[in-house]
């Protein structure tokens, strides 16, 4: 056996774009066999959340292979070393100065021309700007043109809310995960009370026949072989053959449209080239902090979220509060008070990033988040 030299100590400053991914790729190359996220994080002196994001990105690009099981592990493939070499090593970004001259104010974003939209569940969605128009209008135009769209970004940024606001009751949703099967999309035989069997169409066929929108949520958690059943319906053929039902051919009615959601930071979410090529438009959805201010969310909570988002972007942490967590903060504050809301904002963070989140929240609010009381403690 050939001994492998220990990797050089990773710099602990803020990393430039892609630098953590380069370090992770180098580690996989130097350590043959499946590697755990926690072991890599410890060796590189980075948070497990940030390393997990880098591993997911490498896997999504085909530059590392996930090894199924619990916990999920990763190993190098023929493209890993080249991926590391393609990212030019750079010195860590300098820490942000404690006091800095105020930057020139950024130009105000172009406001969306549409007002609030009520979703089917009764909640109100505030449109954001996309391609110089309200995002709901942009998605509707894409549907009219038959151009499939993929919305991607961290959980909690409003992807599902946008899709529900854009298409309302004209929407059929499939919640994807690793257990989703082809039958969950096209349908399967079900036994009737009299003992006979009937084929029950799945959401894909219902959407095709009714001319509705099919939203495949967490599409990248579904096996590529399963998703392949929908591909003929998404391209110029606009038809599928249901082999399980006597080879029946289903043709899409006018109005049928496919939109999907992808959370790149979720373990196991892999955007294959075959899937990516089916979506001509891919929209990155991130938290709109101007919207958070417009919704009257405490500016201190918004400031903490923005600071944590900067840390996440630099690879220091793997998680930051998104609009969903900010809305939850406002709701908890109104019900249980500010202290409980602060504690909850820090407490919902993944364990590996909780200290960093608590520190940022404490800095924004001027006090350390209170520790949760043990359950069962007498008042």
């Amino acid at each position: 056996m050939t001994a492998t030299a220990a990797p050089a100590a990773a710099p602990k400053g803020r990393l430039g774009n892609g630098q953590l991914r380069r370090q992770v790729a180098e580690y996989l190359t130097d350590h043959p066999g499946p590697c755990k996220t926690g072991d890599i994080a410890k060796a590189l002196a980075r948070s497990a959340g940030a390393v997990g994001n880098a591993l997911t990105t490498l896997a999504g690009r085909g530059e590392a292979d996930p090894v199924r099981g619990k916990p999920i592990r990763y190993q190098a493939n023929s493209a890993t070393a080249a991926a590391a070499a393609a990212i030019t090593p750079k010195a860590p970004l300098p820490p942000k100065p404690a006091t800095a001259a105020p930057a020139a104010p950024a130009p105000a974003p172009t406001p969306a021309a549409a007002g609030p939209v009520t979703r089917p569940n009764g909640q109100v969605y505030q449109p954001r700007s996309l391609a110089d128009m309200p995002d709901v209008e942009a998605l509707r135009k894409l549907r009219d043109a038959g151009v499939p769209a993929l919305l991607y970004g961290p959980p909690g940024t409003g992807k599902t809310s946008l899709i529900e606001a854009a298409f309302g009751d004209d929407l059929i949703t499939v919640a994807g995960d690793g257990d989703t099967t082809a039958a969950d999309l096209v349908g399967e035989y079900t036994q009737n009370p009299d003992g006979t069997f009937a084929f029950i169409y799945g959401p894909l066929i219902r959407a095709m026949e009714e001319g509705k929108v099919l939203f495949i949520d967490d599409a990248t958690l579904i096996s590529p072989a399963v998703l392949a059943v929908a591909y003929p319906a998404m391209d110029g053929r606009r038809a599928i053959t249901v082999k399980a039902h006597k080879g029946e051919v289903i043709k899409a009615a006018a109005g049928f449209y496919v939109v999907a959601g992808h959370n790149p930071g979720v373990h196991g979410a892999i955007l294959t080239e075959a899937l990516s090529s089916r979506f001509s438009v891919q929209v990155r959805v991130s938290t709109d902090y101007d919207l958070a201010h417009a919704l009257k969310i405490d500016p201190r909570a918004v400031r903490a979220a923005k600071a944590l988002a900067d840390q996440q972007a630099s690879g220091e942490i793997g998680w930051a509060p998104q609009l969903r967590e900010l809305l939850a903060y406002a709701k908890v504050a109104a019900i249980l008070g500010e202290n409980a809301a602060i504690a909850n904002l820090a407490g919902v963070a993944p364990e590996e990033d909780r200290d960093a989140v608590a520190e940022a929240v404490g800095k924004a609010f001027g006090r350390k988040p209170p520790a949760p009381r043990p359950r069962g403690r007498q008042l």
Side-chain angles (χ1 to χ4, degrees):
M1 296 179 64
T2 303
T4 303
K12 294 186 178 181
R14 296 176 62 237
L15 297 176
N17 290 336
Q19 298 309 302
L20 179 59
R21 191 169 72 252
R22 175 183 62 81
Q23 292 179 4
V24 172
E26 289 176 344
Y27 183 95
L28 292 176
T29 302
D30 293 339
H31 295 75
C35 300
K36 295 180 180 178
T37 302
D39 292 341
I40 303 174
K42 184 177 180 181
L44 300 181
R46 295 289 169 183
S47 80
V51 170
N53 284 347
L55 287 166
T56 301
T57 300
L58 287 169
R61 293 166 176 253
E63 296 166 348
D65 293 332
V67 179
R68 299 297 178 185
K70 294 184 178 180
I72 189 170
R73 296 170 294 167
Y74 293 83
Q75 62 186 11
N77 59 27
S78 58
T80 308
I87 304 173
T88 305
K90 295 180 181 178
L93 297 176
K96 291 184 178 180
T99 57
T110 303
V117 179
T118 302
R119 295 161 54 194
N121 63 4
Q123 295 181 349
V124 173
Y125 176 78
Q126 300 284 347
R128 292 170 279 186
S129 181
L130 173 62
D132 299 324
M133 68 183 73
D135 50 9
V136 291
E137 181 182 341
L139 282 187
R140 291 166 184 165
K141 285 180 175 290
L142 289 172
R143 180 192 184 184
D144 292 341
V147 180
L150 175 73
L151 275 56
Y152 69 95
T157 50
K159 298 184 292 295
T160 300
S161 299
L162 164 56
I163 292 168
E164 290 181 348
F167 304 118
D169 294 328
D170 209 21
L171 183 69
I172 295 176
T173 299
V174 174
D177 59 37
D179 296 325
T180 301
T181 66
D184 293 326
L185 292 175
V186 300
E188 60 186 339
Y189 280 98
T190 301
Q191 189 172 18
N192 297 318
D194 61 1
T196 60
F197 287 84
F199 191 85
I200 305 301
Y201 291 127
L204 170 59
I205 294 181
R206 296 202 313 271
M208 293 177 68
E209 292 191 327
E210 298 172 22
K212 291 191 173 183
V213 177
L214 178 69
F215 171 37
I216 308 176
D217 197 9
D218 283 323
T220 48
L221 292 179
I222 302 175
S223 165
V226 171
L227 280 176
V229 303
Y231 293 166
M234 298 171 61
D235 59 27
R237 291 168 285 181
R238 291 182 62 81
I240 66 169
T241 300
V242 187
K243 296 179 180 179
H245 191 219
K246 306 173 183 178
E248 180 185 14
V249 176
I250 303 293
K251 295 184 178 180
F256 170 71
Y257 180 65
V258 177
V259 62
H262 168 44
N263 295 321
V266 174
H267 285 305
I270 300 175
L271 180 59
T272 64
E273 183 177 350
L275 179 61
S276 178
S277 67
R278 260 67 185 188
F279 292 96
S280 304
V281 172
Q282 299 184 14
V283 180
R284 183 178 185 275
V285 181
S286 57
T287 290
D288 186 338
Y289 298 108
D290 291 326
L291 174 59
H293 284 299
L295 294 174
K296 308 298 182 183
I297 296 173
D298 191 321
R300 295 170 297 177
V302 178
R303 187 161 60 248
K306 291 179 68 174
L308 288 163
D310 288 342
Q311 289 182 263
Q312 184 183 28
S314 68
E316 297 176 56
I317 58 176
W319 181 90
Q322 304 298 330
L323 185 60
R324 178 186 298 164
E325 286 77 28
L326 291 174
L327 289 170
Y329 167 85
K331 184 177 293 185
V332 173
I335 299 171
L336 300 179
E338 185 177 284
N339 280 342
I342 294 173
N344 187 65
L345 184 60
V348 296
E351 186 174 356
E352 62 268 20
D353 293 320
R354 197 165 294 159
D355 289 344
V357 174
E359 181 179 350
V361 171
K363 184 175 181 181
F365 282 87
R367 63 182 186 278
K368 183 178 179 181
R373 288 189 173 191
R375 285 179 289 182
R377 178 175 175 178
Q378 293 183 345
L379 297 177

